[in-house]
Structures are given as structure tokens and as C-alpha cells.
Amino acid sequence: MRFAARWTLLWAWCLLAPRAAQAHPIEARKGTLNLLDRAAYLVVSLPVSALDNVDDDGDGALSPAELEAHAGAIRAQVIAGVQLLGPDRALPLHLLMLDVTPPEDSPGLASRHVVAMGWFDLGGASAAQAPDGPALREGLRMRFRLFGKDSAQRELDLTITRQQDVQWVRFTPERSEHRVLPSSVTLLAEYARIGAAHVLQGPDHLLFLLVVLATGWGWRTLLAALSCFTAGHALTLALCVWAGWSVPAGVVEPAIAATIVGMVAFDLWSRRQARAGATAQRLALVFLCALVHGLGFAGALTGLTRWPAGSTQMAGALIGFNLGIEAAQIAVALLAGATVQVLRAVVGQGAHRWASNAASATALVAGTWWFLERLGLQP
């Protein structure tokens, strides 16, 4: 009776879940996870190329006959590669159905995707806990490791629901694990870490920040420059995430490289002109360039996860992401300042000018190269 009840619930949920085509249970490279009382119901579309030793004729697709012949191997790989993790272990996945999804206009052909349907048992946090213990509600993580060989099959979008709560996450080989409907504090901390990592792992953002810092100003002016950079990228980040603004990456990425070149060019021009009013103009330029960098931050954030518009989860993710960016910027500024002080102690007062010229030259060359590369014009 328990199995029949779960089967009925699963199929009812599948029929009611949003989908693009009525002929298919779910779109390619997408999935849904619906958390109910004591179970989490899963429907996911998996690329055939992610499965080992099941494609007998090597055509990159799976026929119904191949599915039947290798059903056991496919089940084992799905159970190992699609996991819902509790605090101390992977929760049991009970697969109810495997099916192929051929093209709508050619239902007899083999399919490049396999649809897996099943449920995770949320009845206990550990093997020693009684099956009738309290269901797990917090601390869950979803892990996905079945990525295809083609570039288009290297990601999976999963929509997670629990009553009125909705979460969208994207799995990639680089980010194969996500928290499931995390608490506000956990969400804030996680996105602060993601924001800091995005800055520290992004050479273009780091180089622009070093150009902003390498001016020889006092700490008050440097603080003003960092504040302008913060205000600019926070504004466009909020507009993109909160208000739904969107700019193609093919425009944003070259523009970010152009801000590096433009900032260096302005500094070189200001030094030659020795203009007294260059500080105010430079702060304005930093703000304008930061607007462009905010578009890049927004693309990174929305490419990882999405939350319902106006939700507290969206606010938490946005605030945490910004806090992480600011923490990384402060760390870079402190490290750059300490480096200049060490150079001054070693080579004298000319160390700052040497460091400034080195940063400008590096930024000019790298920024120009990135700009041409991102436009597809590199030699």
C-alpha cells in the first residue's frame, strides 16, 4: 500500500508540474524536486552520454531496447550520480521509472535523454534513526554528477519546491552541489562566499580594482573610490536581479575589458595633463565603470540560482552576494597596501610609483587582449 501511494502521488505531481511540451514529462537538461511530508519526488532528464556502457551502437542515443537491456546499470548510475544529502549521509533514492524521450515528430527513434522518476526517503537523518522518526526539513543538499560529453549537456537546471517555497538552481561540473531551500542565515553566508569567490577568481575584476587602487591617493580618496565602485555595481546588480534587467554576456564581457583600458587611459592622460580637477572626474568614471561590472556580477549570480521575485530568499542572496564582493575588495585593498609598504621598505619611496606603473602597464595589455578576445578579434 505504501508503494502504491507513493506511485500515485508521484504521477499526480508529474502531471501537475509545469513543462514545455505535453508529449514529454520534462525538458532536456531540466528536472524538478518536490518536497512533501516524508518524501522528495524527483523527475530529471539525463543525457545518454553521461551514462557508461549503455549505448550499444554508439550513436549517442538510447533506444527502448537498449534501455530495457541496461536498466539495472542505468539505475545504479542514477542512484550514484543524483543524490539528496542529509546531515550525515545520502538519503535513499527509490527509482520508480526510467523512460526515453524521442523527438515528438519521430517517436520511434532513439533518444539522447533518459527521464528518471523516483523519490527520496526523508524519514531519518541516519541509518540508526527509526524509519518513523521526524522527517528531515533543513540541512539538505542536492548533488548532481551526471553531465554529458557535449558542451550543451554540461549543465542541469533543477526547480525545487516545498509548499509555497520555490528555488531554481543550475548544476555544472564546477558547481555540482547546492543547498536545498536553505535558511536565511545559511543563504546569506553561502552567497557571501560565492560573491567573494567571484571577485577573487575573476582576473578582470581584480585588475580593474588594482587600477583603481594604484593612484597614490590618501586613504580617504581611496575609500571614496571603493565606495563609488561599490555603489555602481550594487545598483546594476540589484536592477538585474530584482527588476529583471538583462544584458547579453556578449555585450557585457567586452565592456568589462573596455573599462580596464579606459581607466588606465584616463589615468595616463590625467598624469600628463596634471589636472587639478581629475579626482572628481575619476570618481565619476569609477562609478560608471562599476555599473558595467555590476552587469557581470548579475550574470554570475543569476546563472547559479534564482528565487521568486520579491522573496526574502532573493533579498538574502543579493545582500550576501554584495557583502562577499565588498569583503573581497577590502581584502585586495589591504593586501595591495601591504605590498606597497613592503616595497617601500625594500626599494625606497619610489616603490609606489613603480607599482602604479606596473599595474597600469599590465592592465593596459591584459584589458586590450581581453577586449579583442571577447569580440572574437584576437590574433
Side-chain angles (χ1 to χ4, degrees):
M1 291 297 295
R2 184 180 180 186
F3 180 83
R6 294 195 184 279
W7 176 269
T8 303
L9 280 172
L10 177 63
W11 272 107
W13 170 62
C14 292
L15 291 173
L16 293 174
R19 56 186 184 266
Q22 294 296 326
H24 295 163
I26 199 163
E27 292 181 79
R29 302 186 304 280
K30 293 185 183 294
T32 55
L33 181 71
N34 187 20
L35 281 71
L36 296 180
D37 182 21
R38 301 183 59 79
Y41 296 96
L42 175 75
V43 180
V44 64
S45 176
L46 307 169
V48 171
S49 62
L51 303 171
D52 296 327
N53 303 317
V54 299
D55 182 13
D56 294 332
D57 54 13
D59 63 350
L62 202 67
S63 67
E66 289 172 325
L67 175 64
E68 183 178 359
H70 301 290
I74 295 173
R75 286 177 179 272
Q77 293 181 59
V78 172
I79 291 172
V82 184
Q83 296 180 321
L84 184 62
L85 307 175
D88 59 1
R89 69 183 182 103
L91 302 178
L93 171 59
H94 305 273
L95 279 177
L96 299 182
M97 180 178 176
L98 294 170
D99 197 8
V100 291
T101 57
E104 292 183 47
D105 55 351
S106 304
L109 297 180
S111 172
R112 294 186 177 276
H113 289 84
V114 177
V115 173
M117 302 180 185
W119 57 278
F120 294 97
D121 188 353
L122 303 181
S126 66
Q129 187 170 349
D132 295 329
L136 284 171
R137 304 286 292 177
E138 305 294 340
L140 296 174
R141 291 168 292 126
M142 191 72 191
R143 179 184 295 163
F144 182 86
R145 293 182 292 195
L146 293 177
F147 299 102
K149 295 181 173 56
D150 297 339
S151 58
Q153 300 175 343
R154 305 292 286 172
E155 61 184 34
L156 174 97
D157 294 342
L158 186 72
T159 301
I160 303 172
T161 59
R162 183 175 60 199
Q163 296 180 347
Q164 300 303 315
D165 295 329
V166 180
Q167 178 187 9
W168 175 96
V169 292
R170 171 165 290 170
F171 294 91
T172 65
E174 296 75 27
R175 186 162 174 77
S176 60
E177 187 173 311
H178 286 273
R179 293 184 182 274
V180 174
L181 298 169
S183 66
S184 298
V185 174
T186 301
L187 186 72
L188 192 73
E190 180 177 4
Y191 278 89
R193 180 187 61 79
I194 294 173
H198 184 71
V199 172
L200 297 176
Q201 296 172 3
D204 47 4
H205 298 301
L206 278 177
L207 199 52
F208 180 83
L209 185 58
L210 290 176
V211 171
V212 171
L213 297 172
T215 60
W217 297 347
W219 68 269
R220 288 185 179 86
T221 314
L222 285 175
L223 182 61
L226 288 176
S227 298
C228 287
F229 186 62
T230 296
H233 71 64
L235 177 60
T236 47
L237 177 57
L239 288 173
C240 289
V241 174
W242 202 270
W245 282 23
S246 178
V247 180
V251 175
V252 174
E253 294 303 317
I256 289 175
T259 64
I260 299 172
V261 177
M263 199 78 242
V264 174
F266 178 84
D267 285 343
L268 294 175
W269 176 75
S270 297
R271 292 174 196 170
R272 291 199 174 198
Q273 298 295 321
R275 302 189 65 220
T279 297
Q281 295 178 7
R282 191 173 194 274
L283 290 177
L285 182 59
V286 169
F287 177 79
L288 293 175
C289 292
L291 295 175
V292 178
H293 284 253
L295 296 174
F297 292 143
L301 179 58
T302 57
L304 289 174
T305 187
R306 297 172 194 165
W307 302 90
S311 65
T312 56
Q313 293 94 337
M314 174 183 282
L318 186 59
I319 293 171
F321 195 70
N322 270 306
L323 288 176
I325 292 173
E326 301 321 308
Q329 289 179 180
I330 293 172
V332 170
L334 292 175
L335 181 60
T339 302
V340 170
Q341 292 302 320
V342 171
L343 288 174
R344 279 179 176 171
V346 174
V347 302
Q349 292 300 316
H352 189 281
R353 180 175 292 276
W354 178 87
S356 177
N357 291 337
S360 296
T362 301
L364 187 62
V365 173
T368 302
W369 175 264
W370 286 332
F371 179 73
L372 296 175
E373 180 184 45
R374 292 170 184 182
L375 287 178
L377 302 176
Q378 78 274 19

